[in-house]
Amino acid sequence: MINDPWFYLASTIAVLIAGVAKGGLGGGIAVVGVPLMAMVVSPAQAAAILLPILMAMDALALRAYWNDLDNENLRVLLPSALDGTLL
C-alpha cells in the first residue's frame, strides 16, 4: 500500500487529465499522466495503476454509446482497423 501523499496528489491529477482528454477537451495532454505519476512511483507501477482506470473509462463510454451504432461506418472501418491491428 502506498502511503505517500504526493502519490495521491499526482495520481488524482493524472486521472483527471486523462479523463478530460478522453472527453475531447485535452487533446494530446493525456500522455502526461504516466510521466506525472512516474515522478512519484516507478514508471511500470504508474502504468499498472492507470491502465485499469483507463480501461474502465473505455468500458463505460462503450456502454453509454452502445445503441448509437452506425453499421455502415462499421462496415467501412472494421476491415482497415483489423488490418492495422494485424500489421
Side-chain angles (χ1 to χ4, degrees), residues 4-83:
D4 185 13
W6 291 109
F7 165 75
Y8 290 107
L9 178 66
S11 299
T12 302
I13 293 170
V15 170
L16 287 174
I17 287 172
V20 168
K22 277 189 174 281
L25 294 175
I29 198 166
V31 299
V32 175
V34 173
L36 177 65
M37 286 182 61
M39 292 190 312
V40 183
V41 295
S42 72
Q45 191 175 13
I49 291 168
L50 277 178
L51 183 61
I53 295 168
L54 297 174
M55 289 173 64
M57 293 166 77
D58 288 341
L60 291 173
L62 182 63
R63 183 174 160 233
Y65 291 103
W66 188 257
N67 293 327
D68 293 338
L69 179 67
D70 185 356
N71 287 326
E72 180 61 25
N73 282 338
L74 189 61
R75 185 187 65 77
V76 171
L77 293 171
L78 195 57
S80 298
L82 290 174
D83 289 344

